[in-house]
Amino acid sequence: MNPLKVALLGCGTVGGAVLRLVEEQAADLTARVGRPVEVVGVAVRRPDRHPEVPAHLLTTDAMGLVTRDDVDLVVEVIGGIEPARSLLLAAFEAGKSVVSANKALLAEDGVALHAAAAKAGVDLYYEASVAGAIPLLRPLRESLAGDQIRRVVGIVNGTTNYILSRMAETGAGFSEALAEATELGYAEADPTADVDGFDAAAKGAILASLAFHSAVTAADVHREGISSVTATDVARAAEIGCTVKLLAICERVPGEEGDSVAVRVHPAMIPTSHPLAAVGGAFNAVFVEAEAAGQLMFYGQGAGGEPTASAVLGDLVAVARNRVAGAAGAGPSAYADLPARPIAETPTRYHVSLDVADVPGVLATVATEFARHEVSIATVRQDGHGDAATLVIVTHSAPDAALSATIAALREVPAVRGVTSVLRVEGLS
């Protein structure tokens, strides 16, 4: 049998694991696909840094590799926007199916990439782009295709989940927990993409696009990171039976003029009774709510070479089978074309901490500002210390714009010395 020939773009942690697993599982892959699968080229920037790869496979000419006549499938694990986008478009034009783990590119330009793949009659699969080894995208795209999904809520970044878990377990501050994560290899030398929420926002866009059959990009996602979360925030969350997690929340929101899609990434207090609260360390989990299926949860390792390579190989087998059958699989649909709902209109509960002067009438003054902006207060706790006090307020659900206006007004109140913390509270019911 003639082998299906694969071009591998990138040979870092994930690419190296893909190459090794293709070699180790050659017999099983042949049985599963119906033809042998063979990597015929590996594109890298610096071949001298990959002594473990046979020299005849290495090339710096990625464009030449993806357009080779004998290449059937392309696996892209280099990440970033360019040159990945140009390489994928060239692969489609040359009639090659693509497996990608590139969340940033798919979140920014997924619509154009899918259109190019459909025009060429080839596949674009990307299970590894969101949650590592966790089978998630195909269930959303295929298994739940006959249902209407209401909400997708996930812990989709292992670095931030490890940091917040350690803060809850040890009482450490953000900087200390980040340093530990870096030392153990859970955080990159530059952790910006993780701790500032960019990674989770890209994944949220991909999830929302599939779940709600609409074109959602990273620009449609409201994003906040975890660098401002303090040990005090985590401790106060515990006091009300909650823990703090960085969540990607994708919701289909009904409205008078039709449904819309709200997608946001931010730290939030969630009840310790919710299954997502128990997801610790660098693990990921995604909670799906659908009309007929009810509540579903997907849990597992969301990053790392071998877990991510497992998802890549799953996609590789799928597109290889389609290639053998002479067909392409069904791509995602965007028929619903729901508009993105701005964060200003999205209602949430809030946990607000204020440093105030310990003087008569300060609580009434603060409560007046909340009432003036139509933000209803659920609970208030006041702790005094010397001539100052701390007010901890939990609100009922209110639009983000109303809460933001309230906070801006409170900063101008003479008796309010500082707004020390504002965190959303998600019931996840």
Side-chain angles (χ1 to χ4, degrees):
M1 292 181 290
N2 293 326
L4 288 168
K5 297 185 177 181
V6 177
L8 177 60
L9 307 181
C11 199
T13 302
V14 175
V18 169
L19 182 62
R20 180 176 55 78
L21 290 175
V22 168
E23 294 173 351
E24 290 178 356
Q25 300 181 17
D28 286 336
L29 291 175
T30 300
R32 293 168 189 167
V33 171
R35 283 170 60 183
V37 176
E38 177 188 355
V39 176
V40 296
V42 181
V44 295
R45 286 187 297 175
R46 300 180 181 87
D48 59 301
R49 295 192 176 184
H50 302 278
E52 75 286 358
V53 180
H56 72 278
L57 293 180
L58 291 168
T59 179
T60 58
D61 184 8
M63 187 62 73
L65 178 60
V66 302
T67 56
R68 268 173 49 175
D69 290 340
D70 63 334
V71 167
D72 299 294
L73 311 170
V74 174
V75 173
E76 182 269 311
V77 289
I78 57 177
I81 305 302
E82 287 291 354
R85 173 166 43 200
S86 297
L87 292 169
L88 266 58
L89 291 173
F92 296 142
E93 189 172 346
K96 327 290 187 184
S97 290
V98 171
V99 173
S100 176
N102 194 332
K103 55 187 170 287
L105 177 58
L106 288 158
E108 178 172 303
D109 216 19
V111 171
L113 293 173
H114 280 296
K119 181 179 179 181
V122 296
D123 288 319
L124 171 59
Y125 280 36
Y126 43 95
E127 185 65 68
S129 66
V130 170
I134 304 171
L136 175 62
L137 302 190
R138 204 169 302 167
L140 289 178
R141 187 174 59 201
E142 299 175 11
S143 303
L144 295 171
D147 208 339
Q148 183 172 102
I149 296 173
R150 295 195 302 264
R151 180 161 59 169
V152 180
V153 182
I155 296 169
V156 294
N157 183 273
T159 299
T160 52
N161 199 54
Y162 180 85
I163 291 169
L164 292 172
S165 295
R166 292 301 291 163
M167 290 175 70
E169 293 162 2
T170 67
F174 169 78
S175 297
E176 295 88 343
L178 173 59
E180 181 180 332
T182 304
E183 183 179 350
L184 294 174
Y186 292 124
E188 301 287 345
D190 179 2
T192 302
D194 294 321
V195 300
D196 285 351
F198 290 100
D199 176 85
K203 294 171 178 178
I206 294 170
L207 289 171
S209 297
L210 291 175
F212 306 122
H213 306 282
S214 300
V216 180
T217 70
D220 298 317
V221 182
H222 174 77
R223 175 190 54 81
E224 299 173 25
I226 66 166
S227 57
S228 62
V229 177
T230 66
T232 301
D233 292 330
V234 175
R236 284 179 176 155
E239 291 172 359
I240 61 172
C242 290
T243 189
V244 180
K245 297 291 185 184
L246 181 73
L247 300 179
I249 303 174
C250 315
E251 297 175 299
R252 182 175 183 137
V253 183
E256 294 181 0
E257 299 181 2
D259 291 357
S260 59
V261 174
V263 190
R264 48 201 165 97
V265 166
H266 53 70
M269 297 181 178
I270 63 173
T272 54
S273 58
H274 194 276
L276 286 176
V279 178
F283 279 79
N284 284 189
V286 177
F287 199 76
V288 178
E289 297 178 25
E291 291 287 350
Q295 297 179 332
L296 308 169
M297 183 162 150
F298 301 82
Y299 169 84
Q301 295 190 56
E306 290 200 355
T308 306
S310 170
V312 170
L313 257 66
D315 280 349
L316 182 59
V317 168
V319 300
R321 285 172 172 168
N322 292 341
R323 191 80 174 193
V324 170
S333 65
Y335 75 89
D337 195 26
L338 301 178
R341 185 185 184 96
I343 187 63
E345 299 174 10
T346 303
T348 317
R349 297 176 66 209
Y350 297 88
H351 182 283
V352 181
S353 296
L354 306 172
D355 280 346
V356 299
D358 193 4
V359 295
V362 65
L363 179 56
T365 301
V366 168
T368 297
E369 290 299 334
F370 276 89
R372 189 164 67 88
H373 293 93
E374 299 183 345
V375 179
S376 176
I377 294 175
T379 64
V380 179
R381 190 180 79 242
Q382 180 172 342
D383 298 321
H385 41 88
D387 63 346
T390 297
L391 288 180
V392 179
I393 297 168
V394 178
T395 75
H396 290 294
S397 186
D400 183 89
L403 192 282
S404 296
T406 304
I407 297 302
L410 288 171
R411 295 186 193 278
E412 302 301 319
V413 173
V416 176
R417 299 179 174 181
V419 179
T420 57
S421 173
V422 179
L423 276 176
R424 290 173 174 83
V425 181
E426 298 289 342
L428 301 179
S429 57

